[in-house]
Each structure stands twice: as structure tokens, then as C-alpha cells.
Amino acid sequence: TVDVGNAAGEEQAVPFRAVIIPNPSGQGQGAQLWIDTESYQALYLKVFDVNGRLLSEEAFHGTPGRTVRDLPPVLALGVYSVVITDAGGGLLALKWVIL
């Protein structure tokens, strides 16, 4: 588990880890989100631009071990927030840079 803040700003342990590969990535290259979970669980993925505008969202089930999701390949140069949440309110936010 990883200790991170939840949506209310309280610290809690979330039962998953995540990393964006590659990060930074090239424009049009795309990237993947690798999520490591300890059990089957419902997860939600959202991608936001620097202004907080929602660009993409997806619900899926994480499986024990590694789950791989493709991130949107057609985004402009910039910095994006990739937010993963679980049904228990756990939240993990990652920064994704496209060069």
C-alpha cells in the first residue's frame, strides 16, 4: 500500500501503486499507466489538463499484480494530471509531461 491523501485531504493508505511509462513522453507517442494492485478492485482513471478540464475518464477493474492502461495519445504539449481513485475514496494523482 501507499500512503497518500484522499479527496478530503486526509492521509490514508491506498492499495495500489501507479507509474506513467514513459514520462515525459513525446507528442503523439502516447504512454501507458502501470497500476500495481494487491487484489481485484474497481478503479477510476481521469486525465485533466493544466486548467483542470477533464479530458478523459474511464472505469475499469484492477487485477492482482499489474494492470496496464493506455493514456490518450492525442494531447498537446504540456503538463497533465492523471488521477486514479478507488471505490473506498483512495486517490493517487500523477503528473504527466508531454514534450
Side-chain angles (χ1 to χ4, degrees):
T1 61
V2 179
D3 290 327
V4 298
N6 65 11
E10 302 162 330
E11 189 171 293
Q12 71 175 50
V14 291
F16 57 86
R17 296 175 189 231
V19 64
I20 298 168
I21 303 293
N23 192 14
S25 59
Q27 186 176 22
Q29 174 184 354
Q32 293 183 325
L33 180 67
W34 294 0
I35 305 165
D36 293 330
T37 60
E38 298 172 359
S39 62
Y40 291 98
Q41 57 186 303
L43 296 171
Y44 308 92
L45 168 65
K46 294 182 180 182
V47 178
F48 297 91
D49 69 11
V50 72
N51 295 316
R53 185 176 50 141
L54 179 63
L55 302 175
S56 174
E57 65 181 319
E58 171 185 7
F60 61 97
H61 285 89
T63 57
R66 178 160 293 154
T67 301
V68 177
R69 308 305 291 182
D70 290 326
L71 293 173
V74 185
L75 295 176
L77 304 179
V79 178
Y80 297 87
S81 295
V82 176
V83 178
I84 307 108
T85 56
D86 65 13
L91 180 147
L92 182 62
L94 303 171
K95 181 170 61 170
W96 179 25
V97 177
I98 298 178
L99 303 175

